[in-house]
Structure formats: structure tokens, C-alpha cells
Amino acid sequence: MRYTGKGNIKEYITKMFHLASKLRALKLDLFEDLLVHLVLVSLPTQFSQFEVNYNCHKETWSLNELITHCVHEEDRLKKEKAESAHLASTSIAKKKNKIKEAVDKAPQKKPGDLKNTSYFFCGVEGQKKKHCTNYHACAEKGLSEIR
């Protein structure tokens, strides 16, 4: 038997303890600590932080304490789920629009377009290093400060 998240968690826990009382009638006695553990194991993954919190404490909870803590955790998860869904729906749409606008406004350069660029050694526009006469002249002289 597992809690699916539908309905109230308090009703689920009381149903589990009611089943345990039926087992007691059949002379199969389950201790309350074991029942608390079985309830915690049957909770869905959303309650994993709650389970870790329980395991960190050295004391064990009674039925009433377990119900109280589970109800508080269920309320916290419901509030968190509602807030995160709202934030995700508004912020993602805005980010996508900003990215699209930035891409549309960015100037597009062609890879072979060298007309507007100047060579770093002599400053001639569109010239490449292998065609630069000043660079080759300095290289033949052996100047080490060639950039």
C-alpha cells in the first residue's frame, strides 16, 4: 500500500494504522515504531526531504506526531508546487523572447568578408599576413619584436 498523493495524508496514515489493528486481532502484533517506518517508506519521492529529516533525529515519533508532521509537510509541498509552477511559466517565456530579440538584432558577419578589417602589422585593410611585405621584410632582418 502506497500513498499516491491523492486525497489527504492524514486519512492514509489512519487507514494504515487501522489495517495494523486488524492484524493485531489476528494475533500478529506490529510495534508502533515499525508502523511509523512503514508509513515513511510508503510515501512518494516528494517526501524524501521529510524522511531524511526524520532519520536525522534520534527520537521516534508516535502516531499523532507522525500525522502532525506529515500534514505540515503536505501543506508545504502544495504551496511550493503552486509557486514554482507560476514562476516557471512566466520566467521561461520572457527569457525566450529576450534571446530571440538579441539574435535578431545581432549583426551577421560573413566568414569571407575581410573588407572592413585591417591587418594588425601594417594596418592595411583586408590584407593577410602571408601577403604583407612589411612583415616579410622584418622577418628577413631577424627582428624579434614582430607581432
Side-chain angles (χ1 to χ4, degrees):
M1 186 168 156
R2 293 193 63 82
Y3 178 65
T4 59
K6 296 179 181 177
N8 191 353
I9 195 164
K10 181 179 179 180
E11 294 171 3
Y12 169 74
I13 295 172
T14 54
K15 189 185 293 184
M16 290 266 302
F17 276 89
H18 182 25
L19 289 173
S21 66
K22 286 183 178 179
L23 290 173
R24 282 190 195 113
L26 298 172
K27 297 185 181 182
L28 181 63
D29 199 18
L30 298 175
F31 296 108
E32 189 171 322
D33 294 341
L34 178 62
L35 292 173
V36 168
H37 177 72
L38 290 173
V39 168
L40 289 172
V41 169
S42 68
L43 293 176
T45 57
Q46 292 91 355
F47 287 84
S48 61
Q49 184 179 5
F50 176 71
E51 292 175 25
V52 169
N53 188 21
Y54 172 77
N55 290 330
C56 288
H57 294 296
K58 294 187 178 186
E59 61 187 42
T60 57
W61 292 340
S62 67
L63 169 64
N64 291 330
E65 289 173 327
L66 178 67
I67 291 173
T68 304
H69 290 294
C70 284
V71 167
H72 285 295
E73 182 69 13
E74 183 181 37
D75 290 340
R76 186 188 69 80
L77 288 173
K78 285 181 181 178
K79 287 178 184 176
E80 183 180 287
K81 184 178 179 182
E83 289 175 3
S84 66
H86 177 67
L87 292 174
S89 66
T90 58
S91 64
I92 290 174
K94 288 181 181 178
K95 286 182 182 178
K96 284 184 180 179
N97 288 338
K98 286 182 181 179
I99 291 171
K100 285 182 182 178
E101 289 174 4
V103 169
D104 291 339
K105 290 180 182 178
Q108 301 294 326
K109 289 188 177 181
K110 296 177 184 176
D113 189 19
L114 294 175
K115 293 179 182 175
N116 296 330
T117 59
S118 61
Y119 179 54
F120 69 93
F121 191 78
C122 62
V124 177
E125 289 186 10
Q127 187 178 30
K128 295 184 179 180
K129 184 178 180 180
K130 64 182 178 181
H131 300 298
C132 182
T133 56
N134 292 340
Y135 175 78
H136 291 294
C138 289
E140 286 176 8
K141 290 179 185 176
L143 297 176
S144 60
E145 289 130 14
I146 299 175
R147 290 185 171 179

